[in-house]
Amino acid sequence: MLVTHEIPSIESYLNLRRAAGLSNMSREGAKKGLPSTLFAVSLMEGERLMGMGRVVGDGGLQFLVCDIAVHPDKQGQGYGKKIMKEIKCYIDKQVPAGGIVSLIADKPADLLYQQFGFADAAPGSLGMWFKQSID
């Protein structure tokens, strides 16, 4: 499995999200959002995207880890951990003192993120979101 820091193509991104059971995103949103990625990890098997993760944000104060996905054929083989190791290395080098790195974790993936220093924000804070519906 080849690890790259290239942003996935729109098609590969949408296909992997679907295959991994993540929520659907629009092609329009992916076209606009993917180029704004601060850091990307892509796990490639030949030309096929088998795993990914991204960091987005303003590059100084706020960072969001998102789109962590591994193809079902490769789940349970340590690829999620490989993606997070790359992301944590980026965070350690690029996030200034006081910078906030957040993520929204589905259970049981929160156990993976805890291995990299992420902690539940509750009870002092509560994660919230608003997601625009896709027609």
Side-chain angles (χ1 to χ4, degrees):
M1 190 81 53
L2 176 66
V3 177
T4 76
H5 294 151
E6 295 177 19
I7 299 169
S9 71
I10 293 168
E11 201 62 41
S12 293
Y13 169 82
L14 294 173
N15 287 341
L16 182 56
R17 282 189 64 88
R18 219 172 286 116
L22 300 181
S23 60
N24 287 329
M25 295 291 192
S26 70
R27 177 174 298 284
E28 175 187 351
K31 183 178 180 181
K32 185 174 183 179
L34 287 175
S36 297
T37 300
L38 295 174
F39 181 74
V41 179
S42 293
L43 301 183
M44 304 299 296
E45 191 170 76
E47 295 295 314
R48 192 168 176 209
L49 180 66
M50 299 304 285
M52 67 179 177
R54 296 190 313 134
V55 178
V56 299
D58 62 21
L61 301 169
Q62 300 287 332
F63 299 80
L64 174 69
V65 176
C66 61
D67 297 326
I68 306 297
V70 176
H71 193 280
D73 293 348
K74 301 296 180 183
Q75 290 178 1
Q77 298 177 37
Y79 292 116
K81 188 176 279 192
K82 183 177 287 230
I83 292 165
M84 284 305 300
K85 280 182 183 176
E86 295 288 321
I87 287 175
K88 185 64 165 77
C89 187
Y90 169 82
I91 289 168
D92 290 344
K93 290 178 182 173
Q94 298 299 323
V95 176
I100 296 173
V101 182
S102 58
L103 60 80
I104 295 178
D106 293 332
K107 292 192 178 271
D110 59 319
L111 300 175
L112 169 66
Y113 305 130
Q114 287 174 8
Q115 295 174 40
F116 294 92
F118 287 86
D120 191 343
S125 297
L126 181 64
M128 300 178 75
W129 72 338
F130 173 86
K131 183 175 180 192
Q132 195 71 285
S133 64
I134 296 176
D135 296 329

